[in-house]
Amino acid sequence: YTKRIQLAPDTPEMIIFHTLENTGSKAIDGTQFNHNFLEIDRQPTGPGFVVRFPFEPRITSVEGDPQVLAARGNELVVLKALQGEEMALATVQGYGTTAKHYDISVENRNSGAGVRITADRPLTSLRVYAIKVSLAPEPFIRLQIPPGNTEKWETRYSFYTLK
């Protein structure tokens, strides 16, 4: 496995290039995901933070406090400020089978900053994890790599300000 991180010239972007080579005798069939622990402007997770998608998310289960996140239109909104060890881990559905749905933005509307996360693979699972210091979308992709083959994929992080 090789991971190469590149800062894009002249744009506020970071690109992660992934390469996984199957050097074994059995197929690799599994998932890969990123935690994406995001802290925006050193502000604690609370009202004003949203996770935006190109689809209408449906929360299908929640571990922790079910009163932290709510689906509204194409967003998950944070309803309350998290304190101490409070957390919520929401399983989200509603995405399709194309890479265009791996397009997730996390915004701190209090400070006016956001980050957009895209990839060149479709989602196979999606969770959103919220704790006091971080709001973390966790997108999963499927990897199926026969022996002797190599898979490559990339994840792009674009940083922006809200207008």
Side-chain angles (χ1 to χ4, degrees), residues 53-109:
F53 307 95
F55 56 89
E56 288 192 18
R58 290 186 325 275
I59 297 174
T60 58
S61 68
V62 176
E63 293 177 37
D65 187 344
Q67 303 302 313
V68 172
L69 297 167
R72 296 204 176 131
N74 69 330
E75 298 177 337
L76 291 185
V77 298
V78 178
L79 299 174
K80 69 177 217 172
L82 290 136
Q83 304 295 319
E85 300 296 316
E86 285 183 305
M87 60 79 73
L89 176 62
T91 300
V92 178
Q93 295 195 351
Y95 50 85
T97 59
T98 66
K100 73 179 184 176
H101 281 181
Y102 194 137
D103 187 343
I104 303 162
S105 296
V106 177
E107 296 178 350
N108 176 344
R109 294 185 175 160

Side-chain angles (χ1 to χ4, degrees), residues 1 18 20 27-35 95 102 121-127 138-145 151 153:
Y1 175 70
H18 306 266
L20 181 59
I28 295 172
D29 186 358
T31 58
Q32 183 273 340
F33 80 101
N34 294 319
H35 283 290
Y95 50 85
Y102 194 137
R121 296 289 180 105
L123 295 165
T124 58
S125 185
L126 177 62
R127 299 184 306 198
E138 298 179 338
F140 290 71
I141 63 167
R142 180 91 184 259
L143 294 173
Q144 295 177 298
I145 311 169
E151 283 291 323
W153 67 99

Side-chain angles (χ1 to χ4, degrees), residues 5-8 10-16 36-41 52 104-107 112-118 155-162:
I5 300 172
Q6 174 182 316
L7 298 177
D10 303 321
T11 62
E13 286 188 326
M14 176 180 71
I15 307 160
I16 302 176
N36 295 310
F37 289 114
L38 300 172
E39 177 186 4
I40 300 177
D41 292 331
R52 193 165 31 87
I104 303 162
S105 296
V106 177
E107 296 178 350
V115 59
R116 179 180 180 204
I117 307 164
T118 59
T155 310
R156 185 175 301 260
Y157 296 79
S158 303
F159 303 92
Y160 59 92
T161 56
L162 303 171

